[in-house]
């Protein structure tokens, strides 16, 4: 029998990630018994708080007192909302408890922004993780020694599991079900809950946010130039010269300010513009390719797929307004 603990932090949290984890694991455990096995999991929802009020008071969670749990085999951290730094301050006891459990042999899984609490334990130092694509900048600022794999749905390293944004926690749960039981039980759960068991990336869902709060006026000018001239072939050597800065220093400052090389930034801006046009569904892929400065169909498709995980045609088929209307 394995002890599973879904922790309840003292903060606004995602009810669905708590209830969803409990429901999928419980259903897997029930199915395991139905096919002739002894129950495999003892699942608890626990925390230092006596009650957690969620979604403006519409729901409440009444967790077990976590101090009564001496040992757990797997603990799950749900997705959290609000001020991450304030949440960490309020949950120091829980963070210490999580760290102690890992030292005692427990595995840990964090969902979406639950990675902020997990990282506060220090257990992610020098390791990789995933979190919601919309939170990666804040996460990198708070935890510069953790490598965020922004496109990954699931990471698995040394008994620590993380997942990307939103409802991708469902994919993490299937991954854990397969580890706790076997592939057949994971497939059963994927069919019962209608979850795509093979989904591995969140790239197609991400929106490229232009990073301009860095305070480097020279790089801001460079960004403005790139965004206003995406249909042209940009020479960064020439752009650096126009800004009275060496190319080497330009690259260094650009990376520091935006987190991307100039070439990566240009590609992301082009792809974001292409995505918006593909979503409208009015233009052909060839027209859009030319609008964002590509004249090589193969190069455009390769860059687009690298950034989004989908080909331009697949992206248009999936997200265009015409498709939604149908």
């Amino acid at each position: 029998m394995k002890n599973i603990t879904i922790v309840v932090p003292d903060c606004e949290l995602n009810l669905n990630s708590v209830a969803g984890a409990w429901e999928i694991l419980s259903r897997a455990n029930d199915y395991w018994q139905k096919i002739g096995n002894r129950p495999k999991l003892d699942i608890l929802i626990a925390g230092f708080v006596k009650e957690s009020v969620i979604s403006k008071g519409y729901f409440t969670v009444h967790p077990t007192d976590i101090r009564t749990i001496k040992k757990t085999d797997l603990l799950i951290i749900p997705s959290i909302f609000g001020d991450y730094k304030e949440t960490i301050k309020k949950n120091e006891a829980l963070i210490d408890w999580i760290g102690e459990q890992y030292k005692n042999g427990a595995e840990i899984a964090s969902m979406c922004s639950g990675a902020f609490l997990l990282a506060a334990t220090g257990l992610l130092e020098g390791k990789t993780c995933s979190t919601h694509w919309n939170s990666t900048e804040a996460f990198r600022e708070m935890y510069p020694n953790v490598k965020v794999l922004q496109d990954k749905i699931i990471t698995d390293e040394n008994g620590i599991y993380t997942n990307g944004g939103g409802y991708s926690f469902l994919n993490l749960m299937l991954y854990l079900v397969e580890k706790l039981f076997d592939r057949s039980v994971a497939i059963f759960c994927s069919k019962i809950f209608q979850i795509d068991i093979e989904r591995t990336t969140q790239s197609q869902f991400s929106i490229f946010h232009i990073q301009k709060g860095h305070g480097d006026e020279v790089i801001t000018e460079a960004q403005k130039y790139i965004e206003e001239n995406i249909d042209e072939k940009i020479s960064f050597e020439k752009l650096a010269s126009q800004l009275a800065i060496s190319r080497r220093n330009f690259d260094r400052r650009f990376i520091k300010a935006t987190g991307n090389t100039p070439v990566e930034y240009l590609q992301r801006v082009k792809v974001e513009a292409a995505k918006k046009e593909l979503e409208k569904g009015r233009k052909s892929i060839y027209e859009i390719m030319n609008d964002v400065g590509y004249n090589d169909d193969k190069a455009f498709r390769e860059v687009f797929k690298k950034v989004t995980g989908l080909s331009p045609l697949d992206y248009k088929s999936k997200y265009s307004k015409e498709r939604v209307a149908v």
Side-chain angles (χ1 to χ4, degrees):
M1 181 78 74
K2 287 188 176 291
N3 297 309
I4 313 295
T5 305
I6 303 168
V7 302
V8 178
D10 182 8
C11 66
E12 179 72 12
L13 52 85
N14 185 329
L15 173 65
N16 293 314
S17 62
V18 175
W22 186 88
E23 190 171 0
I24 291 171
L25 291 174
S26 296
R27 192 62 179 268
N29 206 32
D30 290 344
Y31 178 70
W32 184 248
Q33 294 173 73
K34 188 176 180 179
I35 59 176
N37 301 293
R38 295 174 63 82
K40 202 166 189 179
L41 305 181
D42 181 23
I43 310 160
L44 288 174
I45 298 174
F48 284 96
V49 292
K50 292 182 179 179
E51 179 181 87
S52 181
V53 179
I54 302 170
S55 302
K56 298 180 180 179
Y58 283 107
F59 306 101
T60 58
V61 177
H62 300 278
T64 296
D65 187 342
I66 207 165
R67 286 163 290 205
T68 65
I69 300 173
K70 302 305 178 187
K71 190 177 187 304
T72 190
D73 297 293
L74 170 67
L75 64 90
I76 299 171
I77 305 170
S79 177
I80 60 176
F81 300 125
D83 186 320
Y84 298 130
K85 291 181 179 178
E86 184 62 30
T87 295
I88 288 164
K89 286 180 184 177
K90 289 172 65 177
N91 287 276
E92 289 181 357
L94 177 61
I95 290 165
D96 290 342
W97 186 86
I98 291 169
E100 283 301 313
Q101 290 299 316
Y102 184 73
K103 288 178 185 176
N104 292 334
E107 294 188 315
I108 305 174
S110 73
M111 301 176 179
C112 189
S113 52
F116 283 83
L117 270 182
L118 174 56
T121 66
L123 296 174
L124 286 177
E125 290 288 303
K127 295 185 178 70
T128 58
C129 82
S130 185
T131 188
H132 198 292
W133 57 261
N134 200 31
S135 300
T136 52
E137 274 191 66
F139 189 93
R140 284 172 177 147
E141 285 180 15
M142 289 177 65
Y143 305 109
N145 296 324
V146 182
K147 183 179 181 182
V148 184
L149 303 180
Q150 184 171 323
D151 65 323
K152 287 288 187 181
I153 290 291
I154 296 168
T155 67
D156 175 348
E157 188 173 358
N158 297 333
I160 296 177
Y161 312 97
T162 67
N163 79 266
Y167 281 79
S168 68
F169 80 84
L170 297 171
N171 299 94
L172 175 62
M173 295 316 301
L174 290 186
Y175 187 80
L176 294 174
V177 164
E178 184 169 352
K179 280 187 165 289
L180 292 164
F181 297 93
D182 60 25
R183 178 74 173 177
S184 68
V185 179
I187 291 172
F188 169 80
C189 289
S190 78
K191 291 178 178 179
I192 288 294
F193 295 101
Q194 298 185 37
I195 307 165
D196 181 1
I197 198 169
E198 301 299 341
R199 187 174 156 220
T200 60
T201 179
Q202 62 178 346
S203 297
Q204 61 187 282
F205 304 106
S206 66
I207 300 169
F208 182 54
H209 293 288
I210 306 300
Q211 309 104 317
K212 289 198 178 146
H214 45 72
D216 190 325
E217 293 182 7
V218 170
I219 300 306
T220 299
E221 283 299 310
Q223 289 175 271
K224 184 179 178 183
Y225 181 86
I226 291 169
E227 291 153 27
E228 291 175 354
N229 296 277
I230 60 170
D231 58 335
E232 297 180 9
K233 187 174 182 179
I234 296 175
S235 165
F236 289 111
E237 195 74 44
K238 185 176 178 181
L239 180 56
S241 178
Q242 289 173 351
L243 295 168
I245 186 174
S246 71
R247 175 61 193 275
R248 183 177 179 181
N249 198 25
F250 174 74
D251 286 355
R252 180 185 62 77
R253 285 171 63 174
F254 202 101
I255 293 168
K256 182 180 179 182
T258 70
N260 298 111
T261 67
V263 171
E264 289 169 344
Y265 188 89
L266 175 61
Q267 290 176 340
R268 295 295 298 270
V269 170
K270 286 176 180 285
V271 168
E272 197 62 30
K275 282 165 60 181
K276 289 175 182 176
E277 289 302 318
L278 289 166
E279 288 161 13
K280 291 175 185 175
R282 296 172 188 159
K283 294 183 178 181
S284 70
I285 292 173
Y286 180 79
E287 288 175 308
I288 294 168
M289 178 187 81
N290 281 286
D291 286 348
V292 297
Y294 282 94
N295 51 29
D296 183 332
D297 177 64
K298 183 181 178 183
F300 174 63
R301 283 188 284 107
E302 286 178 351
V303 169
F304 193 95
K305 190 164 187 178
K306 177 185 173 184
V307 173
T308 68
L310 296 173
S311 70
L313 180 60
D314 288 341
Y315 189 90
K316 183 176 183 180
S317 297
K318 197 166 188 176
Y319 294 109
S320 74
K321 289 184 178 179
E322 291 176 0
R323 170 82 177 188
V324 173
V326 172

